[in-house]
Amino acid sequence: MGPYLEPEYNLDMVQQGSWNGKYLRVDMWGMKHSFSVALKQVSRLLLPLTLMMLSSVPALVNGCDFGQSICGAQAPGDIVIGIMLPCHRKVKALHDRIRPENFQCSKFDLMPFMKSLAVIHVIEEINASGFLPGVHLGYMLCDTCSYASKALQNVGHMLALNTSLNIQCDYIDFRPRVKIILGALYSEVSIAVARLLNVYMVPLLSGASSSPELSDKLRFPVFMRTIPSDKHQTKAVAKMMAHYGWTWVGVVYGDDEYGKAAFQSFLKDAEKNSVCLAYQEVLPHYSDQEDSMQRIKQVTQQIRSSNAQVVLLIVRVEVVELLFKEMIRTNTSRIWISSDAWSRSRYLAHLDGINKVGDILGFNFVAVRSESFDNYLKNLTTTPGGYNHFIDEYKNLRFNCSSECFSTNPPAYCPTHDLLKTKSGNACNFTDPQGQNDDFLVKALDTSEAFTDRVAVWAIANALKTLLKCNSSSCSGEINFPPWKLLKELKMVKFNFDSQTYFFDKNGDFVNGYDLIMWEKDGHHRRFQRIGRYHALDEQIELDVKHFIWLSTANTTTPQSRCSDSCAPGSFKKILNVSCCYNCTLCVEGTYSDVPDLNDCKKCPSGTWSLKGWSQCKPRWESYLRWRDPHPIAMITAAAFGILLLLVTLIIFLVYRDSPPMKIAEVRLSCVMMSGLAVSFASVICFMGKPSLHLCRARQVMYAMGFTLCVSCILVKAFRTFLAFLPFGQLTNRRLHKLYKPPLIVIIITTLQGIICLLWLVFDSPDIDGTPPSPQSMEKVIQCSEGTTYIGFGIMLSYIALLALIGFLLAFKGRKVPQEFSETGYIIFSMLMYLFVWVCFIPVYITNKEESTPVQASVILVSSYGILFCHFLPKCHEAFWGSKTDTLEMILRRWRCISRQNPDPDPETHIDIPRINTTSQNSCSVSLSSTSTILKSSETLSEATLHAKGHILTLVGYSGKVVEKLPYALVPQTISFTDQ
């Protein structure tokens, strides 16, 4: 709104005969230039006073002239439209009012005055255009002085018939001269007037009263308006706050109906948009109250002490003025959100120090400027046949000379400093103020604010056109109709104006949205810039200007107003006492927040996951032993190298199969061991790559069968050595010797493992592990599960461990057998290595399931290499470089030679060795086939004899000392002597 002037005089009081020195002096200014220049100085004091006294005589007839005392402007017409707007801002001496005398108004208000002129201008346009053929519209403009009781007095005058308002049983046929009333400006006044008009069903059409209460058609059936309800404005404000992230705000509202209703509506919308109130303060809507200034100081202190940087003001312009002056005095800056009551106030925009209060934004009704109206304001004249004291008063304010009031010590009757700004610089050069015109109103005010009032007049005209049955040439309907008929037509009217279609909704409101206004800095003042619009139908804000300079930050960075700092993406708000005060808590695993300030984290979509504090979800990456990774490459290389060593070893064993070390190692049994180890090495390859059902089954079965085959051969070797030193009787020895059938033992042991694996595959088969990944990891381990109960896996490993343990015990029992004749040392070491490795594997497997696959593959490699190195590589070394110890072949050859020289050996030393063929008498040679061990003697063979007793071969020196004993089980199955 524009400058709000505060004159201490008005023409209504002159017309009413309210004469006193101050008003006499002021009105004298309006006439002081009506005489000749020669008498100018004298007439300034005497003649205007005489003229004013004469002109006031008719006003004193019968104490009151209803045509002029109550309403300040009027024009006759076939149908009269009532206009109630506050051309003055307050009623004087309201606190001292005791008697029911007439109200005296003061502080001329330019903005409502301009709105009243807009209504008059449209009425004159309609009359001039012939929109209602044969019907002339008149008007009656009454000043409410921003006071409801004064407005009710105006209603009584407008509806009076012959200067009186008669009481009737019903008012169906009530036909006052005023058929409809336009107004009022403030919702509190409209509520009071509407309640009275409900009795007569006279329509009340407002272009400014926006209280949500007035949409209640049960309480206010006669009220209609050409603006949206404040329920839309409070939605727009709350959405704007949410858009800029202002969630911690203060609210100051008036104690009138407008302020209280708008505040209650805002509370609901603020909650929906997660906006919280840091405080709420109430100010008296009437600034003339004694405690108003004290209360404003208290509110100012509350605003300054709060950390809320945004303040919503739902109060009248005069209250905002007092509040801003206090903020300027205390140098307090905030972000102010205006209601429609002051969002385009030119007066506030030009307030001294207005740039110190901070940023100002607000919503105002959609407005369009009219060029024809601007031209009308530049050439103000009274409607022919009528009068307009408000125009007269304005021209006196604008063009009346009052040079003494600009002195350093002006008289008490002079207007305020704000009023003096309205004075024209050429005021003292005009002889007739009432005949002057200029473009001050167009420049000082935003004339587009009168748009809703202009639309209201056109809505009435269109409703009248229907009611009066008008065509292009005439109107055939009854002109003196009851007002309720016009109300009925008005509710159904739909018309076009300024390229837009307008109609009333079921609540009698327009739903045409709001303009979002930003108060830009313009030198020492402010100017209004439209930066967006709020669409009431879809409840959305559309910004035209997204980046502008904020005074609070001095750049385009949006200032903040929050109780708590914003929670970054990846966290959510943990509410404290109010929803806007919170602590930021990180989202837990499996949830995320991709935008700031979420009340709760979102759950990750299926197939994705997030870690603690993440702002997005991602697919888990699959973890398994990929072929290209270093660890799998190393294990595959080790397995391949093991197989290669076995192949080389096999070739060596076959090439050197007739050599003594290979005969001792038993080539055929060793080849079986190599095949088992090869399968065991090959099973490691099945641990690589992405697991599948078949791979999970194959790798365990391959290892189980291969390693069992290898261990069974070792067990045979250990058992053979064990038989050489049985502590049992001869009968038991013979029975156990019958059990020594290596092929059968190997087949039976391996078959049992095969049965175990088969039952395992049938009842609890290995499969892909379905265990959910760890919530703290983005790694999804793809691995095999060895069954749901792991019983089959445990039995398989336990069976191999049992075989290894038995082999170890048998080898340990025969540990005293000379190394030349047995492999007990190799068996003991290899089995200990196997048991140790697998005992270490069990706790690792149980405690770290995710690493079970590489651990088991590594254990298989270690145990397989242990057997390879312990059993085969030493034999290869001996085959290449030979042995320094005597072998059984050499011993038996020498024994044969000795036995020929002694044909009658003692029966005790007779050896019954099957399949000994003597082919020569001259020399002895021994051919060995099958497994044998090396016999080492501490004496020379030439001085020893070989005795056979039971299953023991004993080498006895000629001195009678037993050199060594040889288990019969270790004797070659075929020994042939050749005499050379």
Side-chain angles (χ1 to χ4, degrees):
M1 295 182 180
Y4 289 85
L5 310 179
E6 300 184 5
E8 296 298 326
Y9 56 91
N10 60 69
L11 292 180
D12 286 349
M13 297 178 181
V14 176
Q15 298 295 335
Q16 296 166 19
S18 301
W19 290 89
N20 55 46
K22 179 187 293 187
Y23 295 119
L24 180 63
R25 179 63 179 270
V26 171
D27 281 318
M28 183 176 65
W29 295 341
M31 303 296 298
K32 63 184 178 181
H33 287 288
S34 59
F35 298 94
S36 64
V37 179
L39 298 177
K40 183 176 181 180
Q41 299 299 327
V42 177
S43 63
R44 183 173 297 179
L45 297 175
L46 299 177
L47 188 57
L49 175 62
T50 305
L51 293 176
M52 293 296 294
M53 292 177 64
L54 292 175
S55 64
S56 65
V57 173
L60 301 177
V61 178
N62 297 324
C64 182
D65 182 354
F66 282 96
Q68 297 181 1
S69 63
I70 303 299
C71 296
Q74 186 172 339
D78 300 319
I79 298 175
V80 176
I81 298 175
I83 307 171
M84 282 201 300
L85 290 171
C87 293
H88 293 84
R89 293 169 61 181
K90 69 177 185 177
V91 176
K92 287 199 61 176
L94 194 60
H95 293 288
D96 301 329
R97 179 178 169 84
I98 298 177
R99 298 180 299 173
E101 57 190 3
N102 196 20
F103 296 99
Q104 298 181 7
C105 302
S106 63
K107 293 190 175 182
F108 191 76
D109 198 338
L110 285 181
M111 180 57 70
F113 169 64
M114 184 268 293
K115 284 175 168 284
S116 68
L117 295 178
V119 174
I120 295 173
H121 170 64
V122 175
I123 291 175
E124 292 179 356
E125 277 189 334
I126 293 173
N127 290 334
S129 65
F131 184 79
L132 299 173
V135 177
H136 187 83
L137 298 180
Y139 61 85
M140 181 180 293
L141 172 59
C142 298
D143 188 0
T144 66
C145 304
S146 304
Y147 190 53
S149 298
K150 179 69 168 64
L152 293 176
Q153 183 189 45
N154 295 341
V155 171
H157 174 63
M158 288 181 177
L159 301 183
L161 299 176
N162 298 322
T163 69
S164 64
L165 188 60
N166 298 326
I167 303 300
Q168 301 179 15
C169 294
D170 64 69
Y171 295 91
I172 296 177
D173 199 37
F174 179 62
R175 301 169 187 262
R177 54 179 175 172
V178 174
K179 305 300 183 182
I180 187 172
I181 297 177
L182 282 178
L185 183 66
Y186 299 114
S187 294
E188 182 181 11
V189 177
S190 293
I191 289 173
V193 172
R195 290 184 184 277
L196 177 59
L197 294 180
N198 287 342
V199 178
Y200 311 102
M201 293 305 288
V202 175
L204 176 64
L205 181 58
S206 175
S209 299
S210 56
S211 173
E213 286 189 48
L214 292 167
S215 295
D216 187 352
K217 295 300 103 176
L218 292 178
R219 298 169 58 196
F220 307 103
V222 301
F223 181 81
M224 302 179 76
R225 53 189 165 195
T226 56
I227 57 172
S229 165
D230 268 343
K231 69 178 183 179
H232 298 291
Q233 183 176 194
T234 55
K235 285 180 182 179
V237 170
K239 284 184 177 293
M240 179 190 66
M241 291 178 175
H243 172 78
Y244 289 116
W246 299 331
T247 58
W248 190 239
V249 302
V251 179
V252 180
Y253 63 97
D255 62 356
D256 57 350
E257 296 295 334
Y258 165 73
K260 291 185 287 187
F263 173 70
Q264 293 300 323
S265 178
F266 175 74
L267 284 182
K268 299 176 183 178
D269 296 318
E271 183 178 1
K272 293 178 182 177
N273 289 273
S274 301
V275 176
C276 303
L277 268 62
Y279 56 86
Q280 56 189 60
E281 297 291 342
V282 184
L283 284 176
H285 71 282
Y286 211 72
S287 61
D288 209 28
Q289 297 181 15
E290 295 178 357
D291 59 345
S292 294
M293 203 60 222
Q294 182 64 29
R295 179 61 184 146
I296 286 176
K297 290 182 178 180
Q298 293 175 359
V299 172
T300 303
Q301 181 59 35
Q302 173 64 58
I303 294 173
R304 295 178 62 193
S305 62
S306 174
N307 63 339
Q309 299 299 308
V310 175
V311 184
L312 172 61
L313 296 182
I314 314 176
V315 290
R316 294 184 181 181
V317 174
E318 54 267 27
V319 180
V320 177
E321 177 190 356
L322 295 176
L323 184 63
F324 274 6
K325 286 181 177 180
E326 186 65 20
M327 301 304 292
I328 295 170
R329 186 186 69 81
T330 57
N331 197 27
T332 303
S333 174
R334 290 292 185 270
I335 302 168
W336 307 94
I337 309 299
S338 70
S339 65
D340 61 270
W342 63 277
S343 59
R344 298 180 73 104
S345 172
R346 288 284 185 96
Y347 174 67
L348 292 178
H350 288 78
L351 193 67
D352 291 338
I354 188 63
N355 289 331
K356 296 181 180 181
V357 301
D359 295 289
I360 302 176
L361 293 90
F363 287 95
N364 200 15
F365 310 119
V366 176
V368 179
R369 201 178 187 100
S370 171
E371 185 177 353
S372 63
F373 178 53
D374 289 348
N375 293 330
Y376 174 79
L377 293 178
K378 295 175 184 178
N379 299 279
L380 279 179
T381 56
T382 303
T383 304
Y387 62 89
N388 193 325
H389 295 310
F390 301 113
I391 294 179
D392 298 339
E393 184 174 356
Y394 162 71
K395 290 190 174 184
N396 279 332
L397 295 175
R398 174 67 179 159
F399 304 112
N400 214 8
C401 183
S402 53
S403 56
E404 68 274 15
C405 292
F406 288 93
S407 63
T408 56
N409 188 21
Y413 55 80
C414 284
T416 63
H417 176 68
D418 296 328
L419 173 63
L420 292 177
K421 293 180 181 179
T422 311
K423 289 292 183 183
S424 171
N426 298 321
C428 294
N429 296 328
F430 298 133
T431 58
D432 182 13
Q434 298 299 322
Q436 306 304 317
N437 277 300
D438 61 6
D439 58 356
F440 173 76
L441 289 177
V442 176
K443 291 182 177 180
L445 303 177
D446 184 2
T447 58
S448 65
E449 283 199 62
F451 178 75
T452 56
D453 301 280
R454 293 166 49 223
V455 173
V457 180
W458 279 107
I460 296 172
N462 280 271
L464 286 173
K465 190 170 187 177
T466 303
L467 179 63
L468 300 179
K469 303 175 182 179
C470 298
N471 52 34
S472 58
S473 58
S474 64
C475 295
S476 59
E478 181 183 9
I479 293 179
N480 189 21
F481 54 83
W484 61 266
K485 290 186 177 181
L486 178 58
L487 175 63
K488 181 179 178 181
E489 292 296 336
L490 195 62
K491 290 181 177 181
M492 298 183 294
V493 72
K494 186 174 184 180
F495 63 98
N496 293 323
F497 177 71
D498 201 23
S499 302
Q500 295 289 332
T501 301
Y502 296 95
F503 60 92
F504 297 95
D505 65 7
K506 62 180 181 180
N507 298 318
D509 304 332
F510 273 13
V511 189
N512 52 347
Y514 298 88
D515 288 332
L516 176 56
I517 306 299
M518 176 74 177
W519 290 36
E520 279 190 337
K521 187 177 180 180
D522 184 21
H524 297 292
H525 305 297
R526 297 290 183 92
R527 63 183 178 189
F528 310 126
Q529 180 186 5
R530 179 180 177 272
I531 63 172
R533 184 171 181 177
Y534 176 76
H535 300 279
L537 293 178
D538 56 5
E539 300 181 359
Q540 295 296 324
I541 293 179
E542 177 186 354
L543 291 179
D544 300 328
V545 181
K546 298 182 179 180
H547 303 288
F548 45 82
I549 303 298
W550 296 85
L551 295 181
S552 304
T553 59
N555 52 42
T556 58
T557 303
T558 303
Q560 296 298 308
S561 181
R562 311 177 67 93
C563 178
S564 303
D565 291 335
S566 177
C567 288
S571 60
F572 69 99
K573 298 186 295 186
K574 187 175 183 180
I575 307 301
L576 300 177
N577 53 343
V578 293
S579 61
C580 296
C581 299
Y582 48 81
N583 291 326
C584 295
T585 304
L586 295 179
C587 294
V588 299
E589 294 82 359
T591 62
Y592 72 102
S593 63
D594 52 352
V595 293
D597 295 332
L598 280 184
N599 291 325
D600 202 358
C601 295
K602 304 175 185 177
K603 189 176 180 180
C604 285
S606 178
T608 61
W609 195 252
S610 66
L611 298 183
K612 187 175 184 180
W614 276 27
S615 60
Q616 60 180 336
C617 295
K618 298 179 180 179
R620 276 191 164 111
W621 57 83
E622 295 182 342
S623 174
Y624 53 87
L625 297 178
R626 289 179 169 83
W627 297 97
R628 64 179 181 271
D629 292 342
H631 191 189
I633 290 175
M635 289 193 290
I636 293 172
T637 303
F641 184 69
I643 295 174
L644 180 62
L645 281 180
L646 287 174
L647 181 61
V648 173
T649 303
L650 176 62
I651 296 173
I652 295 174
F653 266 62
L654 293 177
V655 171
Y656 293 91
R657 62 183 177 278
D658 293 331
S659 64
M662 298 307 172
K663 291 180 179 180
I664 294 173
E666 183 60 46
V667 176
R668 285 177 294 179
L669 197 59
S670 296
C671 290
V672 176
M673 286 179 62
M674 291 181 198
S675 64
L677 280 182
V679 174
S680 180
F681 276 121
S683 69
V684 174
I685 300 177
C686 296
F687 283 81
M688 307 302 126
K690 187 172 183 179
S692 65
L693 176 62
H694 300 298
L695 284 176
C696 292
R697 293 175 178 177
R699 70 188 191 183
Q700 299 296 348
V701 174
M702 288 176 63
Y703 166 70
M705 298 304 295
F707 208 79
T708 300
L709 180 62
C710 179
V711 174
S712 65
C713 295
I714 296 175
L715 184 61
V716 168
K717 291 184 176 185
F719 183 57
R720 183 188 61 193
T721 305
F722 177 74
L723 290 178
F725 293 93
L726 285 175
F728 308 108
Q730 188 173 5
L731 180 60
T732 304
N733 289 345
R734 293 179 181 273
R735 291 177 180 175
L736 289 176
H737 275 285
K738 291 179 181 180
L739 297 177
Y740 182 68
K741 300 182 182 299
L744 185 60
I745 293 174
V746 171
I747 292 173
I748 291 174
I749 291 175
T750 307
T751 302
L752 286 176
Q753 183 68 285
I755 294 173
I756 292 173
C757 292
L758 180 62
L759 294 176
W760 180 20
L761 294 177
V762 171
F763 294 104
D764 195 15
S765 174
D767 202 346
I768 303 297
D769 189 3
T771 304
S774 171
Q776 289 79 30
S777 174
M778 286 298 293
E779 181 182 21
K780 182 180 181 182
V781 180
I782 308 297
Q783 62 181 0
C784 295
S785 171
E786 318 310 338
T788 56
T789 61
Y790 293 90
I791 294 177
F793 183 58
I795 293 175
M796 181 269 289
L797 293 180
S798 300
Y799 180 72
I800 299 176
L802 178 62
L803 295 178
L805 181 61
I806 293 174
F808 166 76
L809 294 176
L810 292 176
F812 185 79
K813 186 66 178 176
R815 67 187 181 281
K816 294 182 179 180
V817 176
Q819 187 66 25
E820 291 84 353
F821 287 94
S822 70
E823 299 178 83
T824 53
Y826 302 140
I827 295 174
I828 290 172
F829 185 76
S830 63
M831 292 300 98
L832 277 178
M833 180 183 291
Y834 169 81
L835 291 173
F836 175 77
V837 169
W838 281 94
V839 167
C840 293
F841 162 76
I842 291 173
V844 175
Y845 184 87
I846 293 174
T847 58
N848 193 356
K849 289 295 296 296
E850 294 182 356
E851 299 295 332
S852 61
T853 298
V855 169
Q856 186 180 1
S858 301
V859 169
I860 292 174
L861 287 174
V862 172
S863 56
S864 299
Y865 270 107
I867 294 176
L868 177 61
F869 291 148
C870 291
H871 287 269
F872 299 113
L873 293 187
K875 297 303 177 184
C876 294
H877 180 270
E878 293 176 6
F880 284 132
W881 286 279
S883 175
K884 297 180 181 180
T885 58
D886 291 331
T887 64
L888 180 59
E889 179 182 5
M890 298 172 62
I891 295 173
L892 292 180
R893 179 182 298 175
R894 293 190 180 189
W895 173 82
R896 179 60 177 161
C897 293
I898 295 173
S899 65
R900 289 179 56 193
Q901 297 175 2
N902 188 9
D904 296 320
D906 187 272
E908 183 180 352
T909 62
H910 175 72
I911 303 175
D912 183 13
I913 302 177
R915 296 180 298 279
I916 297 179
N917 299 320
T918 304
T919 60
S920 176
Q921 298 294 328
N922 299 322
S923 63
C924 298
S925 66
V926 181
S927 175
L928 302 177
S929 65
S930 184
T931 305
S932 57
T933 58
I934 301 175
L935 178 62
K936 181 179 179 182
S937 177
S938 61
E939 298 188 16
T940 61
L941 293 176
S942 60
E943 298 177 350
T945 60
L946 192 62
H947 300 272
K949 184 178 180 180
H951 293 278
I952 301 298
L953 294 180
T954 305
L955 181 63
V956 182
Y958 286 116
S959 62
K961 181 180 179 182
V962 176
V963 177
E964 195 60 78
K965 289 184 178 182
L966 178 64
Y968 183 76
L970 301 182
V971 177
Q973 297 176 4
T974 302
I975 303 177
S976 61
F977 291 88
T978 303
D979 295 333
Q980 299 178 354

